[in-house]
């Protein structure tokens, strides 16, 4: 696992992670983390060796909404050893059959829950040709794979921080103040009085804020900013 610590850049880091996955008998590796509350699942930092066409299909159809491995990792901390039997509903079975055609047959998904409310998963997957071997030695592999999950997340932080900065809206000092007062329940008129400006000026700032957060209301922007840790409404 020292190769993860020695990696000089993002590419070599993930190559080292995928190489360790192959060392433990897995054909494919996926590492995905939503680095901050309030960000969408589609904003996750994600690296994988999965077939590109499958990743495109998965993203375009938002299959994370029905993926039982994602549901498990969002709500649990224990590893999930999954096979076709975990895809019980019709839509899930259809999804699984498509994934199997891309060499994703069975695997282990290890949940990630970080100290800054990061949430994600590290998945090691076997193709159909090697799937039968998983059950035989999975108990022996789990301790090392769990440790690998922790090391992978720890060493990914240098990349996650830069990735998060690009996703989080950049606010001007006045926009920040507008959002802070909005989160405290102040009206446009009240904020204008606090700033000593016109209500039109406050509305101008709020329009920019809504645009930056991709929401349609000032309250939604305040909630999203609070969840991201950008403001403290107290």
């Amino acid at each position: 696992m020292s190769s993860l610590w020695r990696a000089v850049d993002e590419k070599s880091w993930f190559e080292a992670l995928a190489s360790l996955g192959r060392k433990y008998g897995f054909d494919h590796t996926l590492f995905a983390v939503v680095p901050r509350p309030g960000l969408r699942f589609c904003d996750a930092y994600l690296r994988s060796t999965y077939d590109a066409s499958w990743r495109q299909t998965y993203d375009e159809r938002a299959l994370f909404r029905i993926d039982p491995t994602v549901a498990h990792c969002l709500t649990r901390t224990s590893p999930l050893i999954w096979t076709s039997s975990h895809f019980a509903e019709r839509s899930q079975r259809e999804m699984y059959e498509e994934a199997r055609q891309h060499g994703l047959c069975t695997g282990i998904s290890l949940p990630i829950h970080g100290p800054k409310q990061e949430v994600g998963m590290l998945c090691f997957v076997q193709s159909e040709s090697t799937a039968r071997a998983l059950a035989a030695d999975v108990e022996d592999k789990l301790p090392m794979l769990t440790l690998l999950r922790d090391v992978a997340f720890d060493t990914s932080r240098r990349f996650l921080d830069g990735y998060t900065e690009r996703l989080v809206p950049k606010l001007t000092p006045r926009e920040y103040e507008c959002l802070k007062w909005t989160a405290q329940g102040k009206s446009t008129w009240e904020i204008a009085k606090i700033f000593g400006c016109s209500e039109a000026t406050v509305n101008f700032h709020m329009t920019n804020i809504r645009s930056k957060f991709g929401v349609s209301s000032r309250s939604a922007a305040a909630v999203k900013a609070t969840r991201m840790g950008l403001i403290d409404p107290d």
Side-chain angles (χ1 to χ4, degrees), residues 70-171:
V70 171
H72 175 93
C73 290
L74 289 177
T75 59
R76 305 286 294 275
T77 57
S78 58
L80 173 68
I81 303 167
W82 55 267
T83 63
S84 59
S85 63
H86 288 84
F87 298 77
E89 299 178 5
R90 179 179 177 180
S91 58
Q92 292 175 333
R93 291 196 298 270
E94 292 174 351
M95 168 189 161
Y96 175 81
E97 285 305 314
E98 288 187 69
R100 187 176 63 81
Q101 294 173 16
H102 292 276
L104 307 174
C105 185
T106 187
I108 301 175
S109 294
L110 301 107
I112 294 173
H113 296 278
K116 297 181 180 179
Q117 300 185 59
E118 304 96 334
V119 62
M121 59 201 302
L122 173 60
C123 301
F124 296 106
V125 186
Q126 292 182 336
S127 65
E128 192 163 12
S129 61
T130 59
R132 294 180 181 179
L134 180 62
D137 60 355
V138 68
E139 291 187 4
D140 293 333
K141 291 178 178 178
L142 269 178
M144 288 304 297
L145 293 176
T146 301
L147 176 59
L148 178 55
R149 182 268 315 273
D150 294 341
V151 173
F153 177 63
D154 199 22
T155 55
S156 73
R157 296 302 294 270
R158 48 188 161 153
F159 311 123
L160 285 173
D161 289 344
Y163 180 79
T164 305
E165 286 182 7
R166 295 191 294 271
L167 289 177
V168 174
K170 304 296 187 297
L171 301 175

Side-chain angles (χ1 to χ4, degrees), residues 2-234:
S2 60
S3 56
L4 293 174
W5 294 104
R6 294 197 307 266
V8 296
D9 55 32
E10 195 171 10
K11 180 180 179 181
S12 60
W13 172 83
F14 184 69
E15 287 176 348
L17 181 59
S19 178
L20 287 166
R22 290 190 295 271
K23 174 184 175 182
Y24 289 108
F26 295 94
D27 304 296
H28 297 287
T29 298
L30 176 141
F31 179 89
V33 173
V34 179
R36 182 174 290 191
L39 293 177
R40 301 168 298 173
F41 191 86
C42 61
D43 292 328
Y45 174 91
L46 188 150
R47 300 292 181 271
S48 81
T49 61
Y50 293 3
D51 187 282
S53 62
W54 169 243
R55 282 299 324 163
Q56 182 176 356
T57 296
Y58 190 99
D59 294 340
E60 289 178 348
R61 291 163 51 187
L63 293 177
F64 66 88
R65 299 183 186 277
I66 63 170
D67 189 337
T69 68
V70 171
H72 175 93
C73 290
L74 289 177
T75 59
R76 305 286 294 275
T77 57
S78 58
L80 173 68
I81 303 167
W82 55 267
T83 63
S84 59
S85 63
H86 288 84
F87 298 77
E89 299 178 5
R90 179 179 177 180
S91 58
Q92 292 175 333
R93 291 196 298 270
E94 292 174 351
M95 168 189 161
Y96 175 81
E97 285 305 314
E98 288 187 69
R100 187 176 63 81
Q101 294 173 16
H102 292 276
L104 307 174
C105 185
T106 187
I108 301 175
S109 294
L110 301 107
I112 294 173
H113 296 278
K116 297 181 180 179
Q117 300 185 59
E118 304 96 334
V119 62
M121 59 201 302
L122 173 60
C123 301
F124 296 106
V125 186
Q126 292 182 336
S127 65
E128 192 163 12
S129 61
T130 59
R132 294 180 181 179
L134 180 62
D137 60 355
V138 68
E139 291 187 4
D140 293 333
K141 291 178 178 178
L142 269 178
M144 288 304 297
L145 293 176
T146 301
L147 176 59
L148 178 55
R149 182 268 315 273
D150 294 341
V151 173
F153 177 63
D154 199 22
T155 55
S156 73
R157 296 302 294 270
R158 48 188 161 153
F159 311 123
L160 285 173
D161 289 344
Y163 180 79
T164 305
E165 286 182 7
R166 295 191 294 271
L167 289 177
V168 174
K170 304 296 187 297
L171 301 175
T172 67
R174 185 45 59 97
E175 288 169 351
Y176 172 84
E177 291 295 321
C178 281
L179 205 50
K180 185 185 72 173
W181 288 119
T182 297
Q184 294 184 19
K186 300 294 184 182
S187 67
T188 299
W189 181 84
E190 290 173 315
I191 296 173
K193 289 299 181 183
I194 292 171
F195 290 164
C197 66
S198 67
E199 292 183 54
T201 299
V202 174
N203 287 330
F204 170 78
H205 291 309
M206 293 309 305
T207 297
N208 289 337
I209 290 169
R210 291 197 302 271
S211 176
K212 289 181 178 182
F213 280 92
V215 295
S216 58
S217 71
R218 54 192 287 168
S219 59
V223 169
K224 198 167 185 179
T226 301
R227 291 181 62 191
M228 289 181 176
L230 295 179
I231 60 173
D232 184 353
D234 298 328

